[in-house]
Structure formats: C-alpha cells, structure tokens
Amino acid sequence: MTPETAKIAELETWLQSKEGEQLEFKAATNNFHFEKLAKYCCALANEGGGRVILGVSDKRPRAVVGTTAFDQPERTRKGLCDRLPLAIDFEEIHHPKGRVLVFRVPFRPLGTPLKLDGIYWMRKEDSLVPLSEERLREIFAESGHDFSADFCPTLRFTDLDLAAVEDFRRRWITRARDVGNSRFAQHLATLSIEQLLTDAEAAKDGQLTYAALILFGTRQAVGRFLAPAEVVFEYRSTEAAGPAQDRQEYRQGFFSFYDELWNRINLRNDKQSYQDRLFVLQIPTFSERPVREAVLNAVSHRDYQVGSNVFVRQYARRLEIDSPGGLPWGITLDNILDRQNPRNRRIADIFTKCGLVERAGQGMNLIFEEAIRQSKPVPDFRRTDRYQVGITLHGTLRNPHFIRFVEKVGQETTATFDTHDWLILDLIARDQKIPHGLQPGAQRQGNRIKNPKKAPIASPSSCRSILSGGVSSRCCP
C-alpha cells in the first residue's frame, strides 16, 4: 500500500466516524474563511485536540466533495501557529473525487484554555460558542493549583481555635515519637503557634492560608471567610423524605469537630453478630477507620470554590458521604485505587504530618481493604459525577465464613496483600468471574494460600472446610 493509498483508507474511516470531539468536517468547496478555521482549531484544542477536515460534506452520509480552499497550506499553517500557541500541522489527500485538506490540532497545554480574539472557544452542535464558566474552572484546576495553599486575606491568628491548633500539635508530637524522632517531638512542644503553623506550611511570613482556616478556624471565621467549608451530618432512620432525625452543621475548623462527628455516627452504630464455633463474635456496622478515611478524603479533596457543603448521611446500614467538585483531574473511577492527585495538597500534607492519614494517598485503598476483610460490599460510587464525589459505605455483613477464612489465612499472609489482591478474594468469595487484568494476581494468591511455608493453611481441603458455609472453593484451586 502506497502512502497516498494509506491516507485515502484512513480518510474513508473518518467518513464513517461521528463528528464529535476529534473530527470537524467542512465542505469548503471553493473557499473557507481563515478566521473561522482558526476558531475551529482553538475550539478543538480546548476539547482535547483533533482534525479539521476540509473537502468533505458535513452532513451524513458524508462524501468527498473536494476543496480549493487554502491553495498554499504552508502559509495557512504558519498563520494558525502565529495566532495559536500550538504545533498545528496539515496534510493534503488526493482522493479520486477531489482534494481533501486536513489540519491536525494538538491538545492545549494542561490547565491552559486557549482563546482567540479574547474568547475561549468550544463547539456546540454546529456552532462555535464561548467555553462555559464551569468548564473554564475545570480546565484551570487541571494545572494542580492548590487552593488550600492560597493566603486568606485578612485572616488573623485570633481567628483560629487554639484548642484545635493544640490538638494538631499533640498529634504531630505523637506521630514524631511513633517514627522514632523524639528530638523533633520535643522541638514541636516548644514552638509558638505562629511558628508551629509556619512549620506545618499553613502560614508564611505571618499570613495564614485557607488550609489554616479550614482546619483550625473558629465558627465565626469560617462563616465570614469561607462558609461552604462546612460538614453537615444527618441521621435518617428510614428512606422517607422529610427532616432528618438528627442534624448537625459543623461550620468550624476540622480539628475542632472530627472526633465529635465520629462519636455522633457511633451513637447509632449497631453491631452484627456471627458465630465462630462456640463463640459469638461481633462486628460494628460502621468501622471507625474507613469512616474516618472517607471523611478525611472529602475534606482534603473537595473543591472549596464550589458553593456547597460536604454531607455525611447515616442510615441504619449505610453511610453516604458527598463532597463538591467531582473527582480531581486525572482521577477516574477506574484508576481511583492506583493514582493520587490531592486537590488540596496543603491540607493533605497536614493530615499526613500529624498521622490522621496513615499513608499519603492510600486512604481509598484502606477503605476498600477494610470492607472486604469484614465481608461487606465494597464502596459504591454511583452518585459520583462531574459535580460531586458520592461514596456509600455499606455496613451489612454478607458472609461470616469469609471472615473466618481471612482469619485462618492469617495476618502473616494477608500483610503481603495489596488492594487488588483483596479485590480478587472478594470476587472469588462472591463466585464472580475474575477480570483478565486481575488474573495474574489470582494465580499468586492461590500459590500463597496453598503453600504452607507462606500461609498457616495446611492444605486446600482445610481451606475448603472453612469456606463450606458458602464461599466458593475456588479460593483454593
């Protein structure tokens, strides 16, 4: 196949494709205005890059009609590159039915929307329109701007809750001692509040950041400077609409209420019983560790420039946590366990310093692992969209035999499991098919469990006896 034949074959593929994010067809039989071409290139760049194809009818069924526009495409490309900071390129395709001119438009720089004649362009159906304010805000957020590191104008140290700051200090000291840094712990105990917050990067040169306000601010200060930085708790005993049986609004620094929030959840946290031979054991519907991790995620990853609150809604057997702003740039529901991109890095770093976050960026992994250990459904993200992250922690214990199996396998073996290993065990326990991408991990798990040197199970048959209450014997191939 010659290069020209290959181009024609590729063009035929484009003709069958949808005109959408990557392709823009224009007949341009005799001419096409340069300014209009430049605007389409700007819009395509803002939408992820793509191609403007001239000489093809823009209505289905598409056909090559040929174009005589831009008979010196090198000059046209130079003009486009002068107007837009992009490496735009072109190619001419000599189709039997006429000349086709294709301009290839790359993706705009990350976090930088492009504008032409003072307008950020995008396409809407068959028209060119300005980018919406919401979309502009999303693009600017891609660059990783940390709102929590910005200085909060006129916020003063007198606007902070000293008890919340001291709670942070105590936790940071404890964390330093736990990692064997007693000298640093002693140093922290001697610091003034201003120096403590400076060392924590919540302040600089006497100016306080939004992280300081969100984590340590008084109720009055949070209400005055950033009212949406509020966590609202509701308890509902039924699904019926109407007022909640209990509602509490925490418009104050996080360090002044996070323990109270857990205690309020724990007030109605019933225990579920299961029998292990002669013993009746109990598991709480909501375990403290994953609940705290989910709340920490909501506080450190939400978008504080969106005018809504974090909501924590407790029901008898589930806990719903909604935080504004959607998933951070680069994070999807498919990669949420493998990638980290904290929207408010300064807040996340402060949580890590004082030990509230055990491992930076691993909170979601811990939530998944704890749910599977206790034979509860994995977290549910069905309420997540571009405007909010909605996570549901289900508390119903599904299979006591799986819990006994995990205990029998033992701490020594499970300590080597990563989150994907736990996901495999969960799929096997529910007799679900293991996706292709997880199958190598499934084979490793089978070897671990069957090998008595690596696990305290003597044989596959003893494993099957543990699982005889309903977990599939495929746990032990």
Side-chain angles (χ1 to χ4, degrees):
M1 181 181 293
T2 65
E4 193 63 34
T5 304
K7 289 181 181 180
I8 293 173
E10 187 175 29
L11 174 60
E12 293 295 339
T13 302
W14 295 339
L15 295 179
Q16 305 306 316
S17 301
K18 283 186 176 182
E19 184 178 48
E21 293 185 357
Q22 294 183 302
L23 299 173
E24 182 67 40
F25 298 97
K26 296 296 177 186
T29 308
N30 298 315
N31 57 65
F32 197 75
H33 200 285
F34 175 80
E35 288 298 320
K36 192 172 183 180
L37 174 64
K39 290 176 182 178
Y40 271 108
C41 289
C42 179
L44 274 171
N46 283 332
E47 297 165 17
R51 292 174 172 86
V52 181
I53 303 172
L54 305 182
V56 174
S57 60
D58 56 358
K59 302 293 183 183
R60 287 183 176 275
R62 294 196 188 92
V64 174
V65 297
T67 180
T68 59
F70 306 118
D71 58 349
Q72 298 185 46
E74 293 87 355
R75 288 182 58 186
T76 306
R77 175 183 60 184
K78 183 178 184 305
L80 291 172
C81 293
D82 288 342
R83 299 289 302 278
L84 298 166
L86 297 170
I88 296 173
D89 204 352
F90 75 94
E91 62 180 333
E92 291 182 282
I93 302 175
H94 299 287
H95 191 275
K97 294 183 179 180
R99 170 180 175 258
V100 175
L101 183 59
V102 181
F103 289 94
R104 294 194 300 272
V105 183
F107 184 34
R108 56 173 170 73
L110 193 67
T112 307
L114 297 185
K115 61 183 176 181
L116 195 67
D117 299 331
I119 297 175
Y120 299 101
W121 294 104
M122 63 174 285
R123 294 171 301 154
K124 185 177 182 181
E125 298 175 351
D126 294 330
S127 303
L128 287 163
V129 298
L131 280 167
S132 66
E133 290 186 9
E134 177 188 344
R135 183 65 187 124
L136 279 172
R137 186 164 55 246
E138 291 174 353
I139 293 174
F140 288 130
E142 294 170 1
S143 60
H145 172 71
D146 183 2
F147 172 78
S148 66
D150 289 345
F151 293 120
C152 180
T154 71
L155 181 67
R156 300 289 178 260
F157 284 89
T158 53
D159 293 315
L160 304 183
D161 184 335
L162 298 185
V165 177
E166 290 303 324
D167 181 82
F168 164 67
R169 186 201 299 268
R170 286 192 296 271
R171 285 188 169 275
W172 198 1
I173 289 172
T174 300
R175 176 67 173 172
R177 287 173 177 160
D178 288 344
V179 298
N181 199 341
S182 298
R183 181 175 295 180
F184 182 61
Q186 294 173 358
H187 169 72
L188 290 173
T190 65
L191 296 179
S192 66
I193 288 178
E194 182 172 346
Q195 188 60 52
L196 178 76
L197 296 183
T198 300
D199 288 359
E201 299 183 1
K204 183 179 180 181
D205 298 330
Q207 288 186 279
L208 291 163
T209 64
Y210 279 102
L213 173 67
I214 292 163
L215 299 179
F216 311 115
T218 63
R219 182 176 182 84
Q220 294 77 14
V222 173
R224 185 166 72 253
F225 295 112
L226 195 63
E230 179 178 61
V231 177
V232 178
F233 169 81
E234 291 184 348
Y235 171 75
R236 295 179 177 272
S237 58
T238 69
E239 302 290 332
Q245 281 71 32
D246 184 15
R247 178 183 171 97
Q248 181 66 40
E249 299 173 355
Y250 295 102
R251 185 179 291 181
Q252 59 202 81
F254 181 76
F255 276 86
S256 67
F257 72 82
Y258 68 96
D259 275 336
E260 181 186 335
L261 175 60
W262 164 248
N263 292 336
R264 191 171 288 271
I265 294 170
N266 204 30
L267 281 174
R268 304 175 182 88
N269 188 13
D270 66 333
K271 291 183 170 57
Q272 300 172 60
S273 301
Y274 71 96
Q275 190 156 356
D276 187 2
R277 298 194 178 105
L278 298 177
F279 303 97
V280 176
L281 305 178
Q282 294 183 322
I283 287 181
T285 296
F286 305 113
S287 297
E288 181 175 359
R289 189 183 189 194
V291 170
R292 285 188 182 269
E293 288 287 350
V295 173
L296 288 167
N297 270 338
V299 171
S300 59
H301 296 310
R302 65 152 292 181
D303 187 345
Y304 284 96
Q305 294 174 283
V306 174
S308 54
N309 313 120
V310 171
F311 277 88
V312 180
R313 298 182 181 90
Q314 181 181 3
Y315 296 83
R317 288 298 171 90
R318 76 178 189 275
L319 195 72
E320 297 179 351
I321 301 175
D322 295 334
S323 58
L327 293 167
W329 171 255
I331 305 299
T332 68
L333 295 182
D334 293 327
N335 66 21
I336 197 168
L337 295 175
D338 302 306
R339 292 187 184 178
Q340 294 81 41
N341 182 18
R343 180 176 274 125
N344 299 288
R345 184 173 295 277
R346 191 59 47 85
I347 291 176
D349 288 347
I350 290 173
F351 284 160
T352 303
K353 280 180 169 68
C354 69
L356 279 179
V357 176
E358 183 176 327
R359 290 177 290 167
Q362 298 297 308
M364 195 57 64
N365 301 69
L366 294 172
I367 294 170
F368 271 77
E369 292 172 16
E370 190 70 11
I372 296 171
R373 283 177 185 273
Q374 297 186 348
S375 190
K376 297 173 182 176
V378 295
D380 178 355
F381 289 91
R382 277 179 290 186
R383 294 190 320 285
T384 295
D385 55 30
R386 62 189 300 182
Y387 306 106
Q388 72 167 17
V389 175
I391 178 174
T392 299
L393 305 181
H394 294 282
T396 301
L397 190 157
R398 296 185 299 186
N399 196 330
H401 304 284
F402 181 79
I403 300 173
R404 290 200 293 271
F405 166 71
V406 171
E407 292 173 350
K408 187 70 174 179
V409 170
Q411 182 68 32
E412 180 182 348
T413 297
T414 58
T416 66
F417 286 0
D418 62 19
T419 309
H420 296 289
D421 292 329
W422 285 107
L423 288 171
I424 292 167
L425 280 181
D426 179 61
L427 289 167
I428 295 173
R430 293 185 291 112
D431 208 20
Q432 300 292 310
K433 183 178 179 180
I434 298 173
H436 179 75
L438 291 178
Q439 287 179 5
Q443 183 61 46
R444 290 195 305 273
Q445 277 195 22
N447 292 336
R448 284 174 183 159
I449 293 172
K450 288 191 294 184
N451 188 342
K453 293 181 180 180
K454 295 184 179 180
I457 293 179
S459 67
S461 60
S462 63
C463 175
R464 291 192 182 96
S465 69
I466 297 170
L467 301 174
S468 60
V471 178
S472 168
S473 62
R474 287 192 295 162
C475 284
C476 299

